[in-house]
Amino acid sequence: MTKYAQPRMPARMDLVITALGGNAARIAILGALVQHPLSTPGDLAGHTGLSVNTIRKHLAVLLTAGLIESDPPSSLPFSERNGQRARYSVVRAVLDKAYDELGAALGIRQRAPRARH
C-alpha cells in the first residue's frame, strides 16, 4: 500500500482540503447552496447537473466538515422525520473560516472581513 507524506499542518486542514480543494463536485454543491439555501438533494441535482446519488455522497462529506447543515438535522432518525425531506444550507461562518485556513496554508493573504448588514 502506498504511504503518502504527511506535511505539518493543523489537523483540521485535511478535512478542509478534502471538502474545499479536493473535489469540483463539492465546490459546485457549495456554490449552489450559497445561491439556493434550503435545497434538497433533488434541487441540488438540478442546479449542478450531478446525479442525486453523487450529491448525497458529497453532502455527507460536507456535513462531516461542518460546512453545511441539514433541516431536519442529520442526527434525527429517518423514522422520526415524518416524511420531511432534508434541506441543506451552508454554515457561512464555517465556510468563510475554511477558505481562510486553506488560503493561509497556500500562503495567500486572507481576505478582508465582509461588511455585516
Side-chain angles (χ1 to χ4, degrees), residues 47-98:
H47 298 312
T48 63
L50 299 167
S51 74
V52 172
N53 286 336
T54 298
I55 295 286
R56 285 191 178 117
K57 179 180 101 173
H58 292 297
L59 287 173
V61 173
L62 295 169
L63 279 166
T64 299
L67 295 168
I68 63 171
E69 60 190 0
S70 66
D71 181 29
S74 57
S75 59
L76 186 67
F78 190 75
S79 61
E80 295 179 25
R81 292 185 186 183
N82 299 324
Q84 191 177 13
R85 290 183 188 171
R87 297 187 174 275
Y88 297 87
S89 296
V90 167
V91 180
R92 192 59 191 239
V94 177
L95 181 62
D96 288 348
K97 183 178 179 198

